[in-house]
Amino acid sequence: MAHTDQQTMRRVLRREIAGTIALLADEHDFSVMRRYRSFVFDDHTAYLRQVESLLKSRAARGGHTTLALLDPEDYAAFCAETGLDPEASASRARFTAQLAATAPTVPYDGRPLTALLPDLVDESVRRAAQDYATILLTRLGPCATCGEDIGRAAFTRASDLVARILDSAPPGDRHLVCSVSAPAETLVAVLHAERGTEGTPEVDEAEALELTCVVALGLATRIPGGLVMRVSSPGTPDRVHGWRLRGGDLVPLSAAEVFDAYCTDAESGDLISPEPDVDYCAPPDLGRRDTPPEHRH
């Protein structure tokens, strides 16, 4: 009887253990991982099928599982730094545990992997963009004139500007996109702000942080960039507004400039037809400028 009770208690505890699976999302990473003899899979499609079967099995038993991306090069570096044998399955388990604590993850919610993988990749790209922007902001150091940390000051100012954009926007769901031409790549951040029950926008904190970091990078470094906001409300045309990142500030675009930006092919320069039920508008007034132009970092 005591043995049965112990088994029951262990089953109860097992259901409360959360797990993480480090996933090889594409064929290239999968082929790189095959260099380890202990990695027994030889077909990426079959591998994904087995992962999905495991996810379903854990969910059926009441288990909670999250997914993270497994980068073979990061795994090799982790093993080299920690002195672990990359051939050992225990080493992959240790690496997965680190990913669970530090890397972007998405929970398994019953959807097929084909639907979950884009979410996981998008989350990883978002985190990478934020991390890259943060590193660049940190490297800027103090202002030669006033000694203030340039990156921190830019982040504070960007937070204020994003808040003012959301507060001054017309009623509706807001969709903000900021792009900045960073030295190694163009960084793009997206923020969805849905209209809340009290009229105040409901934002995803992770998206807001990423967008603020990218805006801050544009403000601090004065590299080319821009921000657009699309506002959607039932029964009315969508409204599109835009700003240019210039001289350490957000410069509003006129209605004609917003129209040109949206109705010109970015690669060819050819004109494209405007979307139906969309108004291209000058942005709302963001109010006072909190930093004098002669001393913007």
Side-chain angles (χ1 to χ4, degrees):
M1 182 66 175
H3 179 67
T4 302
D5 289 343
Q6 290 177 6
Q7 286 183 324
T8 301
M9 286 187 288
R10 279 197 295 267
R11 280 197 298 270
V12 170
L13 289 173
R14 194 175 295 119
R15 286 197 294 268
E16 297 181 8
I17 297 175
T20 300
I21 293 177
L23 186 66
L24 294 159
D26 59 49
E27 289 272 8
H28 172 73
D29 287 346
F30 180 84
S31 63
V32 172
M33 204 66 187
R34 288 192 61 203
R35 65 190 175 192
Y36 301 116
R37 294 186 305 275
S38 58
F39 186 75
V40 298
F41 296 94
D42 56 11
D43 180 82
H44 188 237
T45 301
Y47 161 80
L48 291 178
R49 193 162 50 241
Q50 291 297 325
V51 170
E52 188 157 13
S53 177
L54 176 60
L55 288 168
K56 290 178 179 177
S57 175
R58 285 179 54 84
R61 296 196 302 268
H64 175 77
T65 311
T66 57
L67 294 170
L69 287 180
L70 197 166
D71 185 308
E73 301 306 324
D74 288 347
Y75 173 65
F78 171 79
C79 290
E81 290 171 3
T82 57
L84 295 173
D85 178 7
E87 282 286 357
S89 58
S91 300
R92 288 195 287 275
R94 286 270 299 275
F95 181 64
T96 300
Q98 176 173 282
L99 291 179
T102 61
T105 61
V106 296
Y108 176 66
D109 56 10
R111 286 182 293 161
L113 275 182
T114 52
L116 280 171
L117 278 178
D119 289 350
L120 180 57
V121 172
D122 286 349
E123 184 67 23
S124 299
V125 170
R126 280 177 46 198
R127 177 74 70 83
Q130 179 186 323
D131 290 347
Y132 180 49
T134 302
I135 289 171
L136 293 180
L137 286 170
T138 303
R139 289 176 178 173
L140 294 175
C143 173
T145 301
C146 68
E148 185 176 16
D149 186 279
I150 296 174
R152 187 177 297 112
F155 184 86
T156 300
R157 188 153 176 269
S159 299
D160 178 63
L161 286 169
V162 171
R164 280 195 265 162
I165 288 172
L166 293 174
D167 290 343
S168 61
D173 295 338
R174 291 92 159 175
H175 179 81
L176 281 68
V177 180
C178 181
S179 61
V180 170
S181 300
E185 59 181 304
T186 297
L187 298 182
V188 179
V190 178
L191 171 62
H192 304 275
E194 296 183 355
R195 179 172 43 189
T197 54
E198 302 297 326
T200 55
E202 296 179 350
V203 302
D204 180 283
E205 294 299 329
E207 288 185 354
L209 179 59
E210 180 201 358
L211 183 85
T212 303
C213 284
V214 174
V215 173
L217 183 64
L219 295 175
T221 60
R222 306 193 179 201
I223 52 182
L227 188 151
V228 295
M229 174 176 65
R230 185 168 184 145
V231 183
S232 303
S233 188
T236 63
D238 285 4
R239 296 169 60 92
V240 178
H241 310 274
W243 294 262
R244 183 182 292 110
L245 279 160
R246 174 187 289 172
D249 198 9
L250 282 179
V251 179
L253 298 177
S254 67
E257 288 174 319
V258 176
F259 179 89
D260 288 344
Y262 260 76
C263 300
T264 304
D265 185 274
E267 295 184 359
S268 67
D270 296 335
L271 294 177
I272 56 178
S273 300
E275 293 183 62
D277 296 322
V278 173
D279 290 339
Y280 303 94
C281 313
D285 183 11
L286 299 184
R288 63 178 177 82
R289 293 289 186 266
D290 55 358
T291 308
E294 64 272 13
H295 190 64
R296 287 192 186 127
H297 300 129

